[in-house]
Amino acid sequence: MQYTQTDYDSSRLIFLLRLDFHGIEYRFSTIPLSFDGRDYLGTLSEIEYEETSELIGFNPEANSVAIAVYFPTLDMIEEYRKGRTLEGMEATVSYILEKDGFYTDDEYVILKGIIQEPIIGDPLESVGFASFSIEQKLYDLSTPLIKN
């Protein structure tokens, strides 16, 4: 569905993050919600996202997003000691619109990529806190260039 500027002006953007952490999908959002039959934890930081055109010039940050999340059931330092890190895990950032307490049916993916440079163990945060950037894959090796 195509939205008008009026729809965006009177709506709130809610960002969603899905990430695979060693075979388990975790879902985060900027507010706690249930969307598309799945629950999202409301422990996602606010996201600043700006689209740029690659025709005009090169922006090294155009294909990445900085994220901070809180895993309520994980101790990220203990996971690191077990050799389970966030580095290289797949993640998808998207958004939905909320208007008058209702959510849109459409989810808009703005970035799909891999987690880079995770930071855990901040003494000012809880043990489940992690911050990282998600960088868009420049190429997709799962789709062959030439069909069989």
Side-chain angles (χ1 to χ4, degrees):
M1 176 178 177
Q2 211 46 349
Y3 292 102
T4 65
Q5 184 63 42
T6 306
D7 291 328
Y8 284 107
D9 289 343
S10 59
S11 297
R12 176 170 64 157
L13 280 176
I14 299 174
F15 287 97
L16 307 175
L17 168 66
R18 288 188 312 275
L19 67 86
D20 174 68
F21 184 63
H22 300 279
I24 299 173
E25 182 182 73
Y26 285 88
R27 295 178 295 275
F28 301 93
S29 57
T30 49
I31 63 168
L33 62 92
S34 182
F35 174 74
D36 200 24
R38 296 181 175 132
D39 292 330
Y40 286 80
L41 301 171
T43 60
L44 175 63
S45 64
E46 288 296 323
I47 295 175
E48 293 184 23
Y49 177 75
E50 179 180 334
E51 285 188 315
T52 60
S53 170
E54 293 181 11
L55 297 175
I56 296 174
F58 176 71
N59 181 355
E61 297 179 356
N63 296 324
S64 68
V65 172
I67 301 273
V69 296
Y70 167 69
F71 291 86
T73 59
L74 293 178
D75 179 339
M76 295 309 292
I77 301 213
E78 192 60 36
E79 293 296 321
Y80 178 79
R81 287 182 182 143
K82 293 176 185 175
R84 294 165 39 99
T85 177
L86 286 164
E87 182 78 31
M89 298 288 112
E90 292 187 1
T92 302
V93 179
S94 59
Y95 72 88
I96 58 173
L97 296 176
E98 182 266 331
K99 186 173 183 177
D100 301 326
F102 296 99
Y103 305 113
T104 58
D105 293 333
D106 300 322
E107 175 183 3
Y108 298 94
V109 174
I110 57 174
L111 187 96
K112 187 173 185 175
I114 56 172
I115 295 175
Q116 298 288 321
E117 302 175 3
I119 299 172
I120 60 169
D122 186 332
L124 301 177
E125 298 290 346
S126 68
V127 296
F129 178 81
S131 64
F132 47 85
S133 64
I134 300 171
E135 295 185 13
Q136 188 171 17
K137 295 179 185 178
L138 296 178
Y139 48 85
D140 183 5
L141 294 177
S142 64
T143 305
L145 293 174
I146 301 172
K147 293 184 180 182
N148 292 344

